[in-house]
Amino acid sequence: MLLQVSPELYGDNYPRFFTYWTTDAYQATGCYNLLCSGFVQTNNKIAIGAAISPMSSYNGRQFDIDIMVWKDPKHGHWWLEFGSGLLVGYWPAFLFSHLRSHANMIQFGGEIVNTRSSGFHTSTQMGSGHFAEEGFGKAAYFRNLQAVDWDNNLLPLRNLRLLADHSNCYDIRQGTNSVWGTYFYYGGPGRNVKCP
């Protein structure tokens, strides 16, 4: 959950803040935003499914969104926090079986839908549509990656496993420094000369 562009769901090409849940790895259950019961919104200051503004621009100003997901040890709910301390809502503990006690894996990154309906890779861009090597102001990024431990402490992530399913279409590059902590740049244009 974070940002998505989905003309099918929203009717436009704006990046939107979204949530999604599934109890069976997308087989038969799941829901976007508040389209069905599941995610419980507790704060009306953030609109789930709303367009994000302002937006970063290529070689221009860059804007960040701080997101944290953590488990309430008392009730077992998974909370979504936006910015510094703004609780948006939670996924109730009863929705999940595998997340009942803790998460086994955390994934960050981008995703596109590629049906290859015309026999070619989709021309859907990821992030800014530019590859990770272009860096700040040009490629999309995640920074200050951390995990919440069993005692609700934030721990910096180390030894990330990077994955780019089609690295000629979209790629990723990791780094670490004292200002951004662990970070990565990612993205790409989709179909291009090297990605047929």
Side-chain angles (χ1 to χ4, degrees):
M1 128 275 341
L2 186 52
L3 296 179
Q4 78 178 153
V5 175
S6 177
E8 295 81 16
L9 188 58
Y10 303 108
D12 59 37
N13 288 315
Y14 294 113
R16 294 176 177 269
F17 180 68
F18 82 102
T19 64
Y20 189 86
W21 64 267
T22 178
T23 62
D24 57 6
Y26 305 97
Q27 299 303 308
T29 65
C31 186
Y32 279 105
N33 304 328
L34 304 173
L35 296 176
C36 63
S37 61
F39 184 80
V40 177
Q41 188 166 359
T42 59
N43 190 317
N44 63 5
K45 292 182 180 179
I46 300 292
I48 305 293
I52 298 293
S53 181
M55 292 188 319
S56 298
S57 60
Y58 181 78
N59 213 20
R61 288 191 64 196
Q62 302 297 295
F63 299 94
D64 294 342
I65 296 173
D66 293 331
I67 300 290
M68 182 165 57
V69 175
W70 53 276
K71 187 172 185 281
D72 170 5
K74 184 174 181 182
H75 301 288
H77 304 317
W78 288 87
W79 282 88
L80 171 60
E81 185 175 316
F82 185 96
S84 286
L86 182 63
L87 296 178
V88 177
Y90 63 92
W91 293 271
F94 69 80
L95 286 178
F96 308 106
S97 56
H98 291 80
L99 288 173
R100 197 167 304 273
S101 61
H102 64 278
N104 294 329
M105 175 183 8
I106 303 170
Q107 293 181 339
F108 302 91
E111 180 178 88
I112 56 95
V113 175
N114 183 26
T115 61
R116 297 184 67 89
S117 58
S118 61
F120 300 100
H121 193 284
T122 180
S123 59
T124 300
Q125 297 178 350
M126 182 182 295
S128 67
H130 292 263
F131 287 110
E133 67 191 23
E134 292 191 40
F136 186 74
K138 298 177 181 174
Y141 61 86
F142 279 75
R143 67 184 182 106
N144 291 320
L145 300 177
Q146 298 175 326
V148 181
D149 73 3
W150 64 274
D151 202 21
N152 283 336
N153 295 309
L154 286 171
L155 303 175
L157 295 182
R158 304 280 185 236
N159 303 319
L160 296 181
R161 193 177 91 200
L162 303 180
L163 172 66
D165 290 337
H166 303 282
S167 59
N168 288 329
C169 310
Y170 315 100
D171 68 355
I172 182 170
R173 298 234 173 134
Q174 177 188 346
T176 303
N177 67 35
S178 61
V179 177
W180 277 27
T182 299
Y183 65 89
F184 64 86
Y185 291 106
Y186 71 103
R191 186 171 62 231
N192 65 73
V193 175
K194 294 182 178 179
C195 173

